[in-house]
Amino acid sequence: MRDPVHILLVGAGHAHVQVLEAFAKRLEPGIRLTLVTPAERTPYSGMLPGYLAGFYSERQMTIDAAGLARAAGAGFRLGKVVGLDLATRAAQLLGGAELAYDLISLDIGSQPRRAETAAGVPVKPIDQFTETVDTILADARLRARDARVRLAVIGAGAAGVELAFALRRRLADELDGRPFTISLVGAEPDILMERSTRTRRRLRKTLANKGIALFLGSEVVASDERGATLADGRHIAADALIWATGSSAASWLKTTGLMLDEAGFVRVDNHLRSLSHDSLFAAGDIAALPEPRPKAGVFAVREGPILAANLRRAARGETLKTYRPQAQWLTLLSTADGRAVADKWGISLEGRWVFRWKDWNDRRFVQRFETLVEASSAARR
């Protein structure tokens, strides 16, 4: 009897949780799945600003990756992959262990692009950032006894803008009226350069109304425990820096022999398969698509069902399905005050109803996996 094809899923990103969901709903004879990821629960990036603002608990904004693996009949391994031997098809884990595979899929996200010597905290990986937030807030409460608290968010894209609003809301609640400042710093001439002019105008006005200072048009060239210095000579005083800049890839990928793009991301075809090694797939931020797209969760979510189908098909030796990334995508940006802004097709909408839409959409995405895990657990009892 033929041994089952072993598919190793590295990382529990937005695409891989949908792969597990698909296999939980329809088990595949002849395929053995294993998930390796650093934590049992994986955060949903769309709810991170709401978590920071205090709208969601950590449990509400995370997905039970270990439970999903059980529901899919998959093995589960806590760990972090730090290398690949593509010739022998083995993944190397931090600590020295190895996991053999027949097919492998990477959904390990990205991290903010910054100098290795830069001070501050990167927002990605999100699971590590959420642990650091408590430290930042505890430090802010201590500082607020004697002086004004100063935070700076580096990166004025969608992530940075939402983080600035969320941190303002959280500090206002945590510090009970004591003074603080939040700065938003971006190398581009404006915030949200990929979104419509009207959305940028709306959110610049809201940032100003909430007292969030903007420093745009110059990149950070130096940073330390006192703040950040820009290329044009301006200095932003800050007790903590939070990095939400453009994405960079895990450095260990450069040692694998995979075909990467100039930024170090895995180049894939329109089936989400590596251009250089047909035993490897990649999705989410870590994948460099034939038609480049921003490193945004909306694409990973759309890639999930295609990836699940193609892993099945690759294991069976069948023709793969094509992934076609959307040319226009919806962005829902919370201002952490019960309102949000929607942007697509150059149309900009704002209001409390937009936040209710975003909240419903985000909760529904997470809850569908929780419901599946609960049903699977009940069926096993």
Side-chain angles (χ1 to χ4, degrees):
M1 185 176 177
R2 182 182 170 186
D3 289 337
V5 176
H6 183 208
I7 300 177
L8 181 61
L9 304 178
V10 180
H14 301 354
H16 276 177
V17 294
Q18 292 179 94
V19 171
L20 293 168
E21 176 189 42
F23 276 81
K25 290 181 175 179
R26 181 166 66 87
L27 299 177
E28 184 78 26
I31 291 179
R32 178 167 67 94
L33 285 177
T34 300
L35 172 68
V36 56
T37 188
E40 293 193 354
R41 298 189 69 88
T42 187
Y44 174 50
S45 62
M47 296 177 79
L48 175 63
Y51 165 76
L52 291 179
F55 297 158
Y56 310 118
S57 68
E58 185 170 356
R59 187 171 185 85
Q60 287 173 319
M61 61 87 65
T62 57
I63 296 166
D64 183 0
L68 272 179
R70 288 193 297 271
F76 181 80
R77 179 74 175 264
L78 279 177
K80 184 176 182 181
V81 170
V82 293
L84 295 176
D85 187 328
L86 295 165
T88 63
R89 299 193 183 186
Q92 297 145 2
L93 275 60
L94 187 66
E98 288 193 348
L99 290 175
Y101 64 85
D102 297 303
L103 296 172
I104 187 169
S105 180
L106 306 181
D107 188 13
I108 57 176
S110 62
Q111 55 198 24
R113 187 170 57 245
R114 63 184 187 132
E116 291 185 6
T117 56
V121 180
V123 70
K124 293 182 179 181
I126 292 174
D127 52 350
Q128 295 179 22
F129 177 65
T130 55
E131 294 175 6
T132 310
V133 166
D134 289 338
T135 302
I136 293 172
L137 292 172
D139 184 60
R141 287 191 292 269
L142 285 174
R143 289 179 182 274
R145 296 174 183 174
D146 304 311
R148 180 184 296 269
V149 173
R150 304 165 300 178
L151 296 185
V153 177
I154 314 298
V161 168
E162 279 201 293
L163 284 173
F165 285 128
L167 287 166
R168 183 199 177 279
R169 171 65 181 255
R170 186 66 172 269
L171 285 180
D173 291 342
E174 293 271 340
L175 301 185
D176 194 26
R178 284 171 285 185
F180 65 89
T181 62
I182 293 181
S183 302
L184 180 62
V185 185
E188 300 288 347
D190 201 356
I191 63 172
L192 300 164
M193 291 295 289
E194 293 175 342
R195 308 317 302 181
S196 69
T197 300
R198 191 170 184 188
T199 285
R200 296 202 301 269
R201 187 166 57 243
R202 284 183 189 278
L203 290 172
R204 280 198 310 270
K205 181 179 179 181
T206 306
L207 288 164
N209 289 343
K210 293 183 180 298
I212 298 172
L214 279 176
F215 295 85
L216 301 174
S218 189
E219 66 179 343
V220 174
V221 293
S223 59
D224 57 27
E225 67 280 0
R226 295 170 297 176
T229 301
L230 307 186
D232 63 10
R234 287 179 291 174
H235 182 76
I236 296 96
D239 307 307
L241 301 174
I242 296 170
W243 291 81
T245 45
S247 300
S248 65
S251 59
W252 62 261
L253 288 168
K254 297 175 183 176
T255 69
T256 61
L258 283 167
M259 187 180 293
L260 309 176
D261 70 3
E262 60 280 359
F265 296 99
V266 180
R267 294 189 63 191
V268 298
D269 60 18
N270 57 11
H271 309 300
L272 302 175
R273 195 176 215 168
S274 164
L275 291 181
S276 59
H277 294 77
D278 61 9
S279 63
L280 185 140
F281 290 76
D285 282 6
I286 204 61
L289 301 173
E291 300 175 36
R293 292 292 188 273
K295 302 299 184 184
V298 64
F299 298 102
V301 169
R302 293 288 187 92
E303 289 163 4
I306 300 295
L307 179 63
N310 282 346
L311 289 172
R312 291 186 197 268
R313 289 173 178 231
R316 297 192 298 243
E318 297 175 357
T319 301
L320 304 184
K321 297 184 70 172
T322 298
Y323 167 66
R324 295 182 176 86
Q326 57 270 46
Q328 300 287 334
W329 58 95
L330 175 67
T331 295
L332 297 171
L333 297 163
S334 169
T335 50
D337 55 2
R339 301 173 66 84
V341 175
D343 185 281
K344 189 176 182 181
W345 298 312
I347 298 170
S348 180
L349 302 169
E350 182 178 16
R352 294 187 178 279
W353 69 272
V354 179
F355 176 78
R356 290 194 295 271
W357 177 21
K358 173 177 169 55
D359 178 63
W360 172 79
N361 201 45
D362 290 342
R363 288 179 185 270
R364 182 182 61 162
F365 183 79
V366 172
Q367 187 56 46
R368 83 187 214 206
F369 302 108
E370 294 299 297
T371 300
L372 180 61
V373 169
E374 291 167 4
S376 174
S377 179
R380 290 196 300 272
R381 288 199 289 267

